[in-house]
Amino acid sequence: MISCDKAAVICSKTQYREAGFRERLQLWMHLLVCKTCTSFSRKNGKLTNLCDQAVIKTLSPEEKSRLKSRLQSDLSKDA
């Protein structure tokens, strides 16, 4: 049987559909006997779903460039 540390890694890989069949089978067998990892897996799945549903807006490259220039100019004024 796999360790809890290995189960956590496979659990994360499974959330992002990166785990192979053998790893998923190992995780499933581990989760049958380890309630701590089962809880972790459940919570990790909920967190992944929340992140997928979040509407996250990031700065465009142009906005980043303007902000960087502005910060640099403000720093040079303070010096």
Side-chain angles (χ1 to χ4, degrees), residues 7 34 36-37 48 58 68 77-78:
C34 183
T36 303
C37 288
T48 299
T58 60
K68 183 177 179 180
K77 288 179 187 176
D78 291 340

Side-chain angles (χ1 to χ4, degrees), residues 35-76:
K35 298 308 171 198
T36 303
C37 288
T38 301
S39 175
F40 171 80
S41 179
R42 190 176 309 114
K43 290 176 184 178
N44 196 33
K46 287 180 183 179
L47 179 60
T48 299
N49 287 335
L50 287 172
C51 289
D52 288 343
Q53 294 172 9
V55 179
I56 300 171
K57 182 183 183 309
T58 60
L59 296 176
S60 69
E62 296 82 24
E63 291 170 319
K64 287 179 185 179
S65 179
R66 283 194 305 252
L67 182 58
K68 183 177 179 180
S69 296
R70 185 174 168 193
L71 288 171
Q72 287 174 343
S73 103
D74 287 351
L75 285 175
S76 64

